[in-house]
Each structure stands twice: as structure tokens, then as C-alpha cells.
């Protein structure tokens, strides 16, 4: 009998995992796995437990928000265990689960681990000595995700992020913050003032679909980069917002590019977020694509190669 480690955050989302835990374990057991369950006790507990115990298991499964997924993938990368990973989304945004067509219905997500022909390899980002699953970002409102209280997220969902943004930072104050940065990728060098920037490997970020462009692949060794220049006036700001809504990344307010490697340099400290969690205050950053570094069980049909948007329940994690 194969061994499966199930690590879950009991506080993610509205704690709904508690209502489905027996069903999930039953699905894994009937699928032929001997299951070990570990509820996380604090931040990085999931990371530490996987680091110490991953080699004992054939399959790893985590449940929680993007932060829990990040801890799990970081542990896999740093331990070198290369075990396949299942993911049961239980957070507020679940951007990466949406991209992977993993349903928000927890038992249905568990069945993907049991029913999948094989996990598919996906790219992972290295951020100096850290890792991210789907996005590294700085600037406009990026701190809202990790500064928003978990209980507020649980009670209000996505609305909690906007309440926290309006409470903590007025738009005019936020736009007065900008970062003068130099960015290098391939043979291109950029230097400008930016209010926002991100390197992503996802079809949605922060719950917004299409913000990374239309041609996004998770296993091509390439990340999508988007930088938003500092608006020079309120009119310029409105034009920037309009272009962003249209996904018109050819507009002069943006730098949009694709590459497998990036370098960022700033004279001042820049706070970054990795998968919605605080990633550190940095001046020099090197981001690289770790091509097909982790195998994940997904809602993708491994025979047709197409994403199953109606996996099990007809609802993906974004719905």
C-alpha cells in the first residue's frame, strides 16, 4: 500500500476542511493509500513537517490557501524529494488552483489525486534563495493579502482584501509610492519608476483573470512579466486603469515581457510578496524559472492535454 501524507491548514478559508476531512481521508484510503494526516499548528509548520518527513511517503497532498501551497512546494524544492503533490484549495483567492482547473469542492479535488493518470510537471520560480508557485510581486496593494487578518478573510472572503486596502491605504497615498528600478531579462534592460510589478506563472492573480496575458503555459520554462509605470497625472492614471481592464499590454503605461530569467535592482528597499505572503525587503533580486520542477495532480486530462473546466462538480476553484 502506498503512503500518502496529507498536510492541511485548519484555519484557511472558513475552516471548511473540518466538514470534509473524513470524506477526504476515505477517498484517499479507498484509492489504495495509507494516509497520515497532519494539521498545521503555525506558519511554516507545514513546510517543516514536509521537509522532515517527505521521504517516508509516495504522495504528498496539502490543503489551504496559496501560502500553504507555497510552503509545500518550497519544502519539495529544498528537500529534493520530488514527490508528486496534490492540492485541495481552501483559501480565499486560490489563483493557482483555478489555473490548474482544480475544483473548489474539496472531495472532488481529493478525487483528482486518486483518479489522475499521472501528475503533470509545472514550472516553479526561484526568488534568490526562496521559491514561489505562481507570482512574485511588489508595489500597489501587494501587502494587503498578508496583512489582512485571517478571521476577516474567513468572514468576508474576497471583499476583505478590498476593505483592508481602503482602510490601510488611500489610493492617492499608495500612488505616491513608487520604486525606481532597473530590470534585466534576456538582452533587454529597463529603467523606470514603477507603482507595481509582477513575475507570474498563472492565468489569474489576485482573483483577476487575464492580467498575465492570454498565452500562459505552466510548463514552458517561461514566466510572464508585467510592470506598471508611475502615472504622471490623474488622467494618466485613468488611462492606465482603462488599458489594464482591456488587457492592452501594448499601451505605453506598461512593460510586458516573457522570459525565463530576470534581475531587479533598486537603490531603496522594496517589499515583495510571494504567492500572497511576505517575501522580504530586498534591493537585488534574481528570479529564475525552474522548468517542470514539481509534479502536481491537476484537473487537466492527461490523454487529451486539455484543461477539465468541469472537473467532477462543474466548478473550478475560481468560481
Amino acid at each position: 500500500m502506498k503512503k500518502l501524507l496529507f498536510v492541511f491548514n485548519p484555519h484557511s478559508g472558513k475552516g471548511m476542511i473540518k466538514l470534509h476531512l473524513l470524506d477526504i481521508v476515505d477517498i484517499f484510503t479507498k484509492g489504495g493509500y495509507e494516509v497520515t494526516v497532519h494539521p498545521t499548528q503555525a506558519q511554516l509548520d507545514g513546510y517543516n513537517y514536509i521537509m522532515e518527513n517527505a521521504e517516508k511517503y509516495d504522495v504528498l497532498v496539502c490543503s489551504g490557501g496559496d501560502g500553504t501551497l507555497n510552503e509545500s512546494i518550497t519544502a519539495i524544492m529544498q528537500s529534493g524529494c520530488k514527490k508528486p503533490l496534490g492540492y485541495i484549495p481552501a483559501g480565499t483567492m486560490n489563483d493557482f488552483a483555478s489555473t490548474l482547473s482544480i475544483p473548489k469542492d474539496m472531495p472532488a479535488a481529493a478525487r483528482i489525486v486518486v483518479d489522475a493518470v499521472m501528475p503533470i510537471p509545472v514550472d516553479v520560480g526561484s526568488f534568490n534563495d526562496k521559491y514561489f508557485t505562481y507570482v512574485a510581486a511588489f508595489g500597489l496593494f501587494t501587502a494587503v493579502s498578508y496583512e489582512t487578518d485571517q478571521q476577516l478573510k474567513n468572514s468576508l472572503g474576497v471583499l476583505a482584501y478590498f476593505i483592508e486596502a481602503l482602510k490601510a491605504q488611500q489610493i492617492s497615498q499608495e500612488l505616491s509610492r513608487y520604486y525606481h528600478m532597473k530590470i534585466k531579462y534576456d538582452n533587454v534592460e529597463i529603467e523606470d519608476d514603477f507603482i507595481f510589478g509582477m513575475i507570474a506563472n498563472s492565468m489569474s492573480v489576485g482573483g483577476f483573470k487575464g492580467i498575465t496575458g492570454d498565452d500562459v503555459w505552466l510548463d514552458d520554462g517561461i514566466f510572464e512579466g508585467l510592470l506598471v509605470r508611475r502615472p504622471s497625472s490623474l488622467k494618466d492614471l485613468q488611462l492606465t486603469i482603462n488599458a489594464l481592464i482591456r488587457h492592452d499590454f501594448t499601451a505605453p503605461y506598461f512593460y510586458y515581457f516573457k522570459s525565463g530569467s530576470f534581475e531587479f535592482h533598486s537603490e531603496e528597499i522594496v517589499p515583495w510578496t510571494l504567492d500572497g505572503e511576505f517575501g522580504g525587503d530586498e534591493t537585488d533580486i534574481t528570479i529564475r524559472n525552474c522548468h517542470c520542477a514539481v509534479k502536481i495532480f491537476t484537473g487537466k486530462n492527461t490523454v487529451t492535454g486539455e484543461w477539465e473546466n468541469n472537473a467532477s462538480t462543474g466548478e473550478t476553484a475560481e468560481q
Side-chain angles (χ1 to χ4, degrees), residues 191-210:
E191 183 173 359
D192 213 328
D193 296 332
F194 303 104
I195 60 170
F196 175 80
M198 71 176 183
I199 304 298
N201 191 41
S202 177
M203 295 176 186
S204 68
V205 175
F208 296 98
K209 293 185 66 176

Side-chain angles (χ1 to χ4, degrees), residues 31-47:
Y33 290 102
E34 178 184 333
V35 184
T36 298
V37 178
H38 179 78
T40 59
Q41 304 300 303
Q43 188 175 15
L44 294 180
D45 182 49
Y47 163 81

Side-chain angles (χ1 to χ4, degrees), residues 85-139:
L85 178 68
Y87 179 44
I88 299 176
T92 305
M93 292 296 188
N94 300 313
D95 284 305
F96 201 59
S98 170
T99 298
L100 293 170
S101 290
I102 298 176
K104 68 178 182 179
D105 180 88
M106 292 181 178
R111 290 189 199 99
I112 286 179
V113 176
V114 172
D115 296 340
V117 177
M118 64 176 63
I120 67 167
V122 299
D123 300 338
V124 172
S126 69
F127 181 91
N128 286 353
D129 59 347
K130 301 177 183 178
Y131 294 94
F132 63 93
T133 309
Y134 73 97
V135 66
F138 69 88

Side-chain angles (χ1 to χ4, degrees), residues 7 46-48 50-51 54 60-62 65-87 96-97 100 102 120-126 130-134 201 275 290 292-297:
V7 175
Y47 163 81
N48 291 325
I50 292 173
M51 283 287 290
L60 309 175
V61 180
C62 68
D66 292 331
T68 302
L69 179 62
N70 178 278
E71 285 190 24
S72 302
I73 287 183
T74 296
I76 290 173
M77 294 294 293
Q78 293 184 350
S79 68
C81 70
K82 303 301 181 185
K83 300 298 175 70
L85 178 68
Y87 179 44
F96 201 59
L100 293 170
I102 298 176
I120 67 167
V122 299
D123 300 338
V124 172
S126 69
K130 301 177 183 178
Y131 294 94
F132 63 93
T133 309
Y134 73 97
N201 191 41
D275 298 335
C290 303
C292 293
V294 174
K295 292 182 178 180
I296 299 182
F297 295 98

